[in-house]
Amino acid sequence: MTKRTPSQFGLPPELVDTVSKLGNHIRVARKRREMTLDDLASRMFVTRKTLSRLENGDPGVSLAVLASALWALGFEKDLLEIVHPEKDNLGMYLEQRRLPKRVRRSKTGDDLDF
Amino acid sequence: MTKRTPSQFGLPPELVDTVSKLGNHIRVARKRREMTLDDLASRMFVTRKTLSRLENGDPGVSLAVLASALWALGFEKDLLEIVHPEKDNLGMYLEQRRLPKRVRRSKTGDDLDF
DNA sequence: TTATTAAGGGTAATTTATGACTCAATAAAC
DNA sequence: GTTTATTGAGTCATAAATTACCCTTAATAA
């Protein structure tokens, strides 16, 4: 009944800190480019206040806002780096561990031709 | 008057694609760990539907949801990689370009002792 | 094939984000 | 020191996210 979104009852403090640092990184990138909050916000098609929330580490802002900021600052590719399958060492290990020791062809022989 | 959030009137298609790929990466990581949507969602303190939106690339989900997913999958450090000041080549160039050619001490001599 | 489970998707109620506007405080420029 | 511009923050209205619940479809296992 009661709603408990992560932003409402609080993320783990570690995550709050992480999002906060991300916001600061965006702020640094903006200032290095000599852009005001209004400058960057208008390029992102959001208001100054929304961008301000992002820079201040508010976990409630949407992915769209984050993505727009990255795009407007020239970091649009960075989002593809995170959770990348090829960098997921644990995941790759788990996947290979699940492969059968031997491969066994089905009797019906209805295999694919590839 | 009219509200135009990025998610509403649409992000640049390039960004929609990026967010979509990010969602897929999360999905791959989840499946590699043999977790169902319910499994992961409960660890994130979020409903299955919200996680589903994230995996399907909905730009409207909050940063909190993304961060929770990364945390629950063991990628919590990835968020610190993006927009990292030390990887911001353009930003570092702009910053250094703005440094004065010569440093000039103020006459009053009210400098800091550091 | 059949049974089981995961995933997709709809609705209504509630919370929250976002925009638009304004004012105050702070910092930068002169 | 004075002026100007940037930033922070509050309010209200509206759009959207999120939950909880339910049902259907698709995929997996037996």
Side-chain angles (χ1 to χ4, degrees), chain A residues 26-80:
Chain A
I26 292 173
R27 170 167 285 153
V28 169
R30 168 178 64 82
K31 289 185 174 178
R32 278 175 168 172
R33 287 158 181 75
E34 293 183 281
M35 301 169 75
T36 67
L37 280 175
D38 274 317
D39 290 335
L40 181 53
S42 64
R43 292 197 190 196
M44 294 166 56
F45 304 103
V46 294
T47 58
R48 171 166 55 94
K49 193 162 194 172
T50 299
L51 173 57
S52 182
R53 290 208 300 140
L54 174 65
E55 288 192 354
N56 286 317
D58 187 331
V61 299
S62 69
L63 261 176
V65 175
L66 172 64
S68 295
L70 299 195
W71 171 76
L73 289 168
F75 291 92
E76 61 275 352
K77 292 181 181 173
D78 282 26
L79 269 186
L80 295 179

Side-chain angles (χ1 to χ4, degrees), chain B residues 11 26 32 34 41 45-46 57 61 79 92-93 98 103 114:
Chain B
L11 298 162
I26 292 173
R32 277 176 168 171
E34 294 184 281
F45 304 102
V46 166
V61 299
L79 268 186
M92 290 190 296
Y93 165 72
R98 213 166 6 160
V103 187
F114 56 91

